[in-house]
Amino acid sequence: MLIVFNPGTRIGEQALKNRVNTVMDLTRSVWSGAWHPDSGYGAPEGERDGYYDFTDAIPLLFTTLDRLKADGPRGVVWWRCGHGRWETLTDALDNPADHRAWQARDTARRARYDEQLAQRERERAAEKERWATKPPEPEPEPEVASCERCGLPTTGPMGQVDALVTAPEDGWLCPACCTAAADVYQHPTLRQTLFGSRRRGK
């Protein structure tokens, strides 16, 4: 549907805009398409997208007589309701917000989503290959205490001495020194256990 206004000298530019806006508001149900929300494939969560279905819509175009005289019907003289700009007749009759535009966006989203999945898969494969070719790290040797008398390592875990020998005052001993010390150190008495051992004065 085409509407050509001839403002002439009777109405000004603002009055013409008011008339155009009034006609647009009264005919909105005729020219506006039906919105179909559809986020599409691989769209980020919460992203709003969709398209307009113009199957039952009637395009409504405005122009003025002076524009037609100046540029002709093939010029940028047509204003279609819903487009918001001056266009040629071909562009004004097109529907850039229909299913085709949504499909193009959805195809681009699909390509980006598939590329992200492929990139993550390549990273996982590279990490797996790196771990497969990397030699295992040797386990650290357990720390062994040195004998305080001879300097040799003790055979048991750190902090252990022969169960029959009380811990000497000068540190931990190796098995040989423990055996030698067995004759010197005696089992602690109850008094020594409760109050500690004291050296006898000479």
Side-chain angles (χ1 to χ4, degrees):
M1 179 183 297
L2 303 177
I3 300 177
V4 180
F5 289 95
N6 182 19
T9 58
R10 293 175 295 175
I11 61 174
E13 184 177 350
Q14 187 59 47
L16 178 61
K17 289 182 179 179
N18 293 339
R19 289 187 182 184
V20 170
N21 290 333
T22 300
V23 174
M24 288 176 59
D25 291 339
L26 294 175
T27 59
R28 187 173 299 276
S29 60
V30 175
W31 55 262
S32 62
W35 172 255
H36 292 272
D38 195 334
S39 59
Y41 177 87
E45 186 176 354
E47 180 178 305
R48 183 179 181 274
D49 198 4
Y51 62 92
Y52 284 95
D53 183 7
F54 294 97
T55 303
D56 298 327
I58 300 175
L60 179 59
L61 283 69
F62 298 112
T63 190
T64 58
L65 192 58
D66 57 344
R67 284 180 176 272
L68 287 175
K69 288 180 180 180
D71 299 323
R74 296 179 182 271
V76 185
V77 298
W78 301 101
W79 183 281
R80 176 173 172 178
C81 295
H83 283 199
R85 62 185 179 276
W86 293 100
E87 301 172 303
T88 62
L89 184 60
T90 303
D91 292 338
L93 293 176
D94 191 21
N95 297 310
D98 64 359
H99 188 269
R100 295 169 302 164
W102 172 86
Q103 193 170 27
R105 293 191 300 273
D106 189 55
T107 301
R109 279 193 298 262
R110 182 185 296 267
R112 289 195 302 269
Y113 182 74
D114 291 344
E115 176 58 28
Q116 291 172 357
L117 289 181
Q119 179 64 24
R120 286 197 290 267
E121 186 61 32
R122 288 193 294 268
E123 291 174 358
R124 282 195 295 266
E127 185 70 10
K128 184 177 180 181
E129 182 179 358
R130 186 175 70 85
W131 281 105
T133 57
K134 181 179 178 182
E137 302 238 352
E139 293 186 4
E141 293 291 333
E143 186 176 355
V144 179
S146 298
C147 178
E148 294 293 339
R149 291 189 178 178
C150 67
L152 296 176
T154 59
T155 55
M158 187 174 184
Q160 263 192 346
V161 294
D162 195 319
L164 298 177
V165 181
T166 60
E169 296 178 359
D170 54 353
W172 306 112
L173 304 177
C174 66
C177 291
C178 282
T179 303
D183 298 330
V184 178
Y185 296 103
Q186 302 297 325
H187 291 286
T189 64
L190 180 62
R191 179 185 178 86
Q192 291 175 333
T193 303
L194 295 176
F195 302 105
S197 59
R198 291 184 297 175
R199 293 184 178 180
R200 296 179 180 178
K202 292 181 179 180

Short mmCIF file of all heavy atoms in Angstrom, two decimals, residues 114-132:
data_model
loop_
_atom_site.label_atom_id
_atom_site.label_comp_id
_atom_site.label_asym_id
_atom_site.label_seq_id
_atom_site.Cartn_x
_atom_site.Cartn_y
_atom_site.Cartn_z
N ASP A 114 30.45 -24.63 16.96
CA ASP A 114 31.18 -25.82 16.52
C ASP A 114 32.69 -25.59 16.59
O ASP A 114 33.45 -26.50 16.93
CB ASP A 114 30.78 -26.19 15.08
CG ASP A 114 29.35 -26.71 15.01
OD1 ASP A 114 28.79 -27.08 16.07
OD2 ASP A 114 28.78 -26.75 13.90
N GLU A 115 33.13 -24.37 16.27
CA GLU A 115 34.56 -24.07 16.34
C GLU A 115 35.05 -24.11 17.79
O GLU A 115 36.15 -24.58 18.08
CB GLU A 115 34.83 -22.70 15.73
CG GLU A 115 36.27 -22.24 15.84
CD GLU A 115 37.26 -23.19 15.20
OE1 GLU A 115 36.87 -23.90 14.24
OE2 GLU A 115 38.42 -23.24 15.67
N GLN A 116 34.23 -23.63 18.73
CA GLN A 116 34.60 -23.68 20.14
C GLN A 116 34.72 -25.12 20.62
O GLN A 116 35.65 -25.48 21.35
CB GLN A 116 33.58 -22.92 20.98
CG GLN A 116 33.60 -21.42 20.78
CD GLN A 116 32.47 -20.71 21.48
OE1 GLN A 116 31.61 -21.37 22.10
NE2 GLN A 116 32.42 -19.39 21.39
N LEU A 117 33.77 -25.97 20.19
CA LEU A 117 33.85 -27.39 20.57
C LEU A 117 35.09 -28.04 19.98
O LEU A 117 35.78 -28.81 20.66
CB LEU A 117 32.59 -28.12 20.07
CG LEU A 117 31.28 -27.81 20.79
CD1 LEU A 117 30.15 -28.63 20.18
CD2 LEU A 117 31.38 -28.11 22.27
N ALA A 118 35.38 -27.73 18.71
CA ALA A 118 36.57 -28.31 18.07
C ALA A 118 37.84 -27.83 18.76
O ALA A 118 38.79 -28.60 18.94
CB ALA A 118 36.58 -27.94 16.59
N GLN A 119 37.87 -26.55 19.16
CA GLN A 119 39.05 -26.02 19.84
C GLN A 119 39.27 -26.71 21.19
O GLN A 119 40.40 -27.06 21.53
CB GLN A 119 38.89 -24.50 20.04
CG GLN A 119 40.05 -23.85 20.77
CD GLN A 119 41.35 -23.94 20.00
OE1 GLN A 119 41.35 -24.08 18.78
NE2 GLN A 119 42.46 -23.89 20.71
N ARG A 120 38.18 -26.91 21.94
CA ARG A 120 38.31 -27.61 23.22
C ARG A 120 38.78 -29.05 23.01
O ARG A 120 39.58 -29.56 23.80
CB ARG A 120 36.98 -27.58 23.98
CG ARG A 120 36.65 -26.23 24.58
CD ARG A 120 35.59 -26.33 25.64
NE ARG A 120 34.31 -26.66 25.07
CZ ARG A 120 33.39 -25.77 24.71
NH1 ARG A 120 33.65 -24.48 24.88
NH2 ARG A 120 32.23 -26.13 24.20
N GLU A 121 38.29 -29.69 21.95
CA GLU A 121 38.70 -31.06 21.67
C GLU A 121 40.17 -31.12 21.29
O GLU A 121 40.90 -32.03 21.71
CB GLU A 121 37.84 -31.63 20.53
CG GLU A 121 38.08 -33.10 20.25
CD GLU A 121 37.76 -33.99 21.45
OE1 GLU A 121 36.86 -33.64 22.24
OE2 GLU A 121 38.43 -35.03 21.59
N ARG A 122 40.65 -30.13 20.52
CA ARG A 122 42.07 -30.09 20.16
C ARG A 122 42.93 -29.87 21.40
O ARG A 122 44.00 -30.47 21.54
CB ARG A 122 42.32 -28.98 19.13
CG ARG A 122 41.78 -29.28 17.74
CD ARG A 122 42.33 -28.30 16.72
NE ARG A 122 41.83 -26.95 16.97
CZ ARG A 122 40.75 -26.44 16.42
NH1 ARG A 122 40.03 -27.17 15.58
NH2 ARG A 122 40.37 -25.20 16.67
N GLU A 123 42.47 -29.02 22.30
CA GLU A 123 43.23 -28.77 23.53
C GLU A 123 43.30 -30.03 24.39
O GLU A 123 44.35 -30.33 24.98
CB GLU A 123 42.60 -27.62 24.30
CG GLU A 123 42.76 -26.27 23.62
CD GLU A 123 42.00 -25.17 24.33
OE1 GLU A 123 41.31 -25.49 25.34
OE2 GLU A 123 42.09 -24.00 23.91
N ARG A 124 42.17 -30.75 24.48
CA ARG A 124 42.19 -31.99 25.27
C ARG A 124 43.13 -33.03 24.65
O ARG A 124 43.86 -33.72 25.37
CB ARG A 124 40.77 -32.55 25.39
CG ARG A 124 39.91 -31.85 26.41
CD ARG A 124 38.68 -32.66 26.73
NE ARG A 124 37.80 -32.80 25.59
CZ ARG A 124 36.78 -32.00 25.33
NH1 ARG A 124 36.51 -31.00 26.15
NH2 ARG A 124 36.02 -32.19 24.27
N ALA A 125 43.11 -33.12 23.31
CA ALA A 125 43.97 -34.09 22.64
C ALA A 125 45.45 -33.73 22.82
O ALA A 125 46.29 -34.61 23.04
CB ALA A 125 43.62 -34.15 21.15
N ALA A 126 45.76 -32.43 22.73
CA ALA A 126 47.15 -32.01 22.93
C ALA A 126 47.61 -32.28 24.36
O ALA A 126 48.75 -32.70 24.59
CB ALA A 126 47.28 -30.52 22.59
N GLU A 127 46.73 -32.02 25.33
CA GLU A 127 47.08 -32.29 26.72
C GLU A 127 47.28 -33.78 26.97
O GLU A 127 48.22 -34.19 27.68
CB GLU A 127 45.97 -31.75 27.63
CG GLU A 127 46.27 -31.85 29.12
CD GLU A 127 47.34 -30.90 29.57
OE1 GLU A 127 47.75 -30.02 28.79
OE2 GLU A 127 47.80 -31.03 30.72
N LYS A 128 46.42 -34.60 26.36
CA LYS A 128 46.55 -36.05 26.51
C LYS A 128 47.85 -36.54 25.89
O LYS A 128 48.55 -37.39 26.46
CB LYS A 128 45.36 -36.74 25.86
CG LYS A 128 45.33 -38.23 26.04
CD LYS A 128 44.08 -38.82 25.42
CE LYS A 128 44.04 -40.33 25.60
NZ LYS A 128 42.82 -40.92 24.98
N GLU A 129 48.20 -36.01 24.72
CA GLU A 129 49.44 -36.41 24.06
C GLU A 129 50.66 -35.95 24.86
O GLU A 129 51.66 -36.67 24.95
CB GLU A 129 49.49 -35.82 22.65
CG GLU A 129 50.72 -36.22 21.86
CD GLU A 129 50.73 -35.64 20.47
OE1 GLU A 129 49.75 -34.95 20.10
OE2 GLU A 129 51.71 -35.87 19.74
N ARG A 130 50.57 -34.76 25.44
CA ARG A 130 51.69 -34.26 26.23
C ARG A 130 51.95 -35.15 27.44
O ARG A 130 53.09 -35.46 27.76
CB ARG A 130 51.41 -32.83 26.69
CG ARG A 130 52.58 -32.18 27.41
CD ARG A 130 52.26 -30.73 27.71
NE ARG A 130 51.24 -30.60 28.72
CZ ARG A 130 51.49 -30.63 30.03
NH1 ARG A 130 52.72 -30.81 30.47
NH2 ARG A 130 50.52 -30.50 30.90
N TRP A 131 50.87 -35.59 28.11
CA TRP A 131 51.04 -36.46 29.27
C TRP A 131 51.50 -37.86 28.86
O TRP A 131 52.18 -38.54 29.64
CB TRP A 131 49.74 -36.54 30.06
CG TRP A 131 49.53 -35.35 30.92
CD1 TRP A 131 48.66 -34.33 30.72
CD2 TRP A 131 50.22 -35.04 32.14
NE1 TRP A 131 48.76 -33.39 31.71
CE2 TRP A 131 49.71 -33.80 32.61
CE3 TRP A 131 51.21 -35.67 32.87
CZ2 TRP A 131 50.16 -33.21 33.77
CZ3 TRP A 131 51.67 -35.08 34.04
CH2 TRP A 131 51.14 -33.86 34.47
N ALA A 132 51.12 -38.29 27.63
CA ALA A 132 51.52 -39.62 27.18
C ALA A 132 53.01 -39.67 26.85
O ALA A 132 53.67 -40.70 27.03
CB ALA A 132 50.71 -40.02 25.96
#
